[in-house]
Amino acid sequence: MTHPVRLAVAVFCCLFPQAVLAHAPIEGMDSFYNGVLHPVLVPAHLLAIVTAGLLIGQQGLKRMQPPLIGYLLMLIIVLAIVGQLDVGLPEKPAMGLLLSMAVLCGLLVAFAVKLSLVPLMAICLVCALLVGLDSAQPELEGRAKLAILAGTGVGGFLLMLYAAAAAEFASKAWQQIGIRILGSWGTASAFIVLAFTFAADRG
């Protein structure tokens, strides 16, 4: 994501904090592709997944593989449960937890902290759990619900995979600095969304 795009997303979140809560599908688009875009269009999901992906990508190719697999399996399991039972977290607590995760992961990326496999796996599993529980579609039924949840799984995993790959391929010093800047931007953006959401609630 380029600097102007990141800035535009941050400004949008500041001006329209309630849009962070939007989970409605895009009219005229197939349910599966709505699901694929879901993690990108919900800022809390986007920030949490990207910062977690950057974090595990910083750890190197061998260490990033088990957390990625764990993330994918957990996401599939949670989405399947959500689809069958229509369980999920309320939007505002889920958003707060996802943004808090983005703050933590973004800080770890910014300071290029090296972690062992256990905390990396825990971060990815918690991220998948929160994303899955915040992706319930109780207003949909049948094939439409299955398609949108399947799309969410695909989109959520690809977003994590691309972020991790970008960080892992950043071998040059200036590229690694860029990844750390992305982490700091993720932290700042998550703080901004949290602050404006709480201000809107109090107002």
Side-chain angles (χ1 to χ4, degrees):
M1 189 180 292
T2 62
H3 179 85
V5 174
R6 293 197 310 272
L7 182 59
V9 170
V11 171
F12 177 83
C13 292
C14 293
L15 295 178
F16 305 101
Q18 294 305 318
V20 176
L21 304 178
H23 285 250
I26 301 173
E27 293 184 8
M29 184 176 287
D30 178 81
S31 294
F32 177 78
Y33 292 106
N34 263 304
V36 172
L37 290 176
H38 179 81
V40 178
L41 296 178
V42 180
H45 290 205
L46 177 65
L47 290 169
I49 294 171
V50 169
T51 53
L54 293 175
L55 177 63
I56 65 171
Q58 276 186 328
Q59 314 302 313
L61 183 60
K62 290 184 178 180
R63 195 174 292 180
M64 67 185 268
Q65 291 175 349
L68 276 175
I69 295 171
Y71 171 82
L72 175 61
L73 294 176
M74 176 64 84
L75 189 57
I76 291 172
I77 291 169
V78 176
L79 288 173
I81 294 172
V82 166
Q84 289 293 320
L85 304 179
D86 282 330
V87 296
L89 290 173
E91 285 185 335
K92 290 185 179 180
M95 183 186 68
L97 290 170
L98 284 163
L99 292 173
S100 298
M101 169 162 282
V103 169
L104 172 63
C105 292
L107 286 172
L108 293 173
V109 172
F111 289 101
V113 176
K114 294 297 182 182
L115 298 175
S116 65
L117 183 59
V118 172
L120 287 175
M121 185 68 76
I123 287 171
C124 286
L125 293 178
V126 172
C127 184
L129 177 65
L130 293 175
V131 170
L133 290 176
D134 194 39
S135 299
Q137 302 289 340
E139 69 281 1
L140 299 178
E141 295 181 357
R143 294 179 63 181
K145 177 187 287 189
L146 177 62
I148 200 168
L149 291 176
T152 299
V154 172
F157 178 68
L158 290 178
L159 190 58
M160 172 77 77
L161 179 63
Y162 290 153
E168 199 279 327
F169 287 141
S171 57
K172 297 181 181 179
W174 66 269
Q175 293 173 329
Q176 294 172 1
I177 292 173
I179 295 298
R180 295 175 67 178
I181 291 173
L182 282 177
S184 65
W185 267 86
T187 294
S189 298
F191 266 127
I192 290 171
V193 176
L194 281 170
F196 274 83
T197 302
F198 289 146
D201 289 341
R202 294 181 63 181

